[in-house]
Amino acid sequence: MNESILIVEDEQKIARVLEIELEAEGYRVSKANDGLQALELYRTGEWDLVLLDVMLPGISGIEILRRIRAADAATPVILLTAKSSVEDKVSGLDLGANDYMTKPFQIEELLARIRAALRQRLVPAEAVSAGLVDGTWLLAGDLKLNETTREVIRSGKSIELTPREFDLLSYLLKHQRQVLGREQIVEAVWGYDYYGDTNVVDVYIRYVRKKVDTGFASELIHTVRGVGYVLKEAQ
């Protein structure tokens, strides 16, 4: 494990604990304690994931998130904040955050969410060798998804997805032709916080199907009764 993580946190004790725990897990870590330093480190380094506090001196975490997403749609960002309202969480996710942790949190939960976010961004080697990846596009029939620009196109038509819908479709495309159980999907797309709550998978599959399959010549997302779902072209 050599993934690099940027910690953006102005509370020195929290930042130090995160640094120790992440380095113990094998990650390479750098820290920034204000918004300006965070942007400088982000622009001059290569990061696999960013842990971003919302309340920062100088430039807020939300503004940093906006600037990151303006140039980079792929790097996972997990927000750290003392705010706990549903509105704050939805706002952060809608701006492109991959996940959201409310302080205080358990380090085991944060580590699980980091692992899930890092897994989500990887394309399996089998997908590459099977011709399911073309440059930065993931392909399935007339459907293609670009993780860098976060574009989704089917039969030449652009499809608008929410961040979570995009992550779900991306995961299905990366593992297409594989039958994926609900627990497996929850762990990869939603992370630790949703363990045991697989109903959320069914809800979001319905959302994505409505946008990606409805009105097109063939269905790509299929239900495997009693198991889960699979994305594949019709035979």
Side-chain angles (χ1 to χ4, degrees):
M1 181 187 300
N2 290 305
E3 290 97 337
S4 59
I5 296 179
L6 175 60
I7 299 171
V8 184
E9 170 60 68
D10 65 320
E11 296 185 44
Q12 296 298 321
K13 290 183 179 179
I14 294 177
R16 179 56 180 157
V17 168
L18 290 173
E19 181 181 35
I20 291 171
E21 294 288 350
L22 290 172
E23 287 182 343
E25 292 292 317
Y27 298 109
R28 292 183 288 111
V29 178
S30 292
K31 296 183 297 180
N33 56 25
D34 62 50
L36 291 173
Q37 185 185 20
L39 285 175
E40 179 63 21
L41 283 174
Y42 174 77
R43 289 168 178 163
T44 57
E46 294 185 4
W47 309 102
D48 294 298
L49 184 140
V50 179
L51 290 178
L52 178 60
D53 187 27
V54 170
M55 304 298 291
L56 291 168
I59 302 174
S60 74
I62 293 297
E63 179 58 28
I64 292 171
L65 176 60
R66 285 197 185 98
R67 296 189 190 188
I68 289 175
R69 285 294 176 250
D72 173 10
T75 302
V77 177
I78 298 177
L79 295 180
L80 306 176
T81 179
K83 296 182 178 179
S84 58
S85 74
V86 172
E87 291 79 8
D88 289 325
K89 293 181 180 180
V90 170
S91 175
L93 293 171
D94 283 345
L95 285 169
N98 297 76
D99 210 339
Y100 197 109
M101 292 289 295
T102 302
K103 301 174 184 176
F105 50 80
Q106 296 294 321
I107 191 64
E108 292 82 4
E109 179 179 359
L110 177 61
L111 292 172
R113 294 199 188 193
I114 288 171
R115 289 192 295 270
L118 290 172
R119 281 197 303 271
Q120 174 65 17
R121 83 191 213 292
L122 298 176
V123 178
E126 310 89 77
V128 177
S129 62
L132 305 177
V133 181
D134 178 19
T136 57
W137 293 92
L138 298 174
L139 312 173
D142 57 353
L143 174 69
K144 60 181 184 177
L145 176 149
N146 189 314
E147 287 201 303
T148 301
T149 63
R150 295 185 79 82
E151 294 175 272
V152 177
I153 298 171
R154 185 163 187 192
S155 293
K157 177 184 176 182
S158 179
I159 297 172
E160 295 294 327
L161 299 178
T162 66
R164 190 69 76 180
E165 291 167 354
F166 183 93
D167 291 344
L168 173 58
L169 181 59
S170 174
Y171 182 71
L172 293 174
L173 278 165
K174 288 174 181 176
H175 298 84
Q176 62 184 279
R177 304 174 186 168
Q178 300 176 37
V179 177
L180 303 169
R182 289 173 176 83
E183 290 285 358
Q184 188 177 357
I185 296 172
V186 163
E187 181 181 356
V189 179
W190 279 268
Y192 183 92
D193 195 42
Y194 285 81
Y195 282 178
D197 182 14
T198 58
N199 289 336
V200 70
V201 174
D202 300 319
V203 171
Y204 272 82
I205 285 286
R206 187 164 65 248
Y207 293 160
V208 174
R209 270 179 168 157
K210 185 175 181 180
K211 296 180 179 181
V212 170
D213 278 345
T214 302
F216 293 96
S218 62
E219 292 185 354
L220 293 172
I221 302 173
H222 306 272
T223 301
V224 180
R225 191 178 299 276
V227 182
Y229 299 96
V230 60
L231 189 149
K232 64 179 180 179
E233 297 180 65
Q235 299 299 318

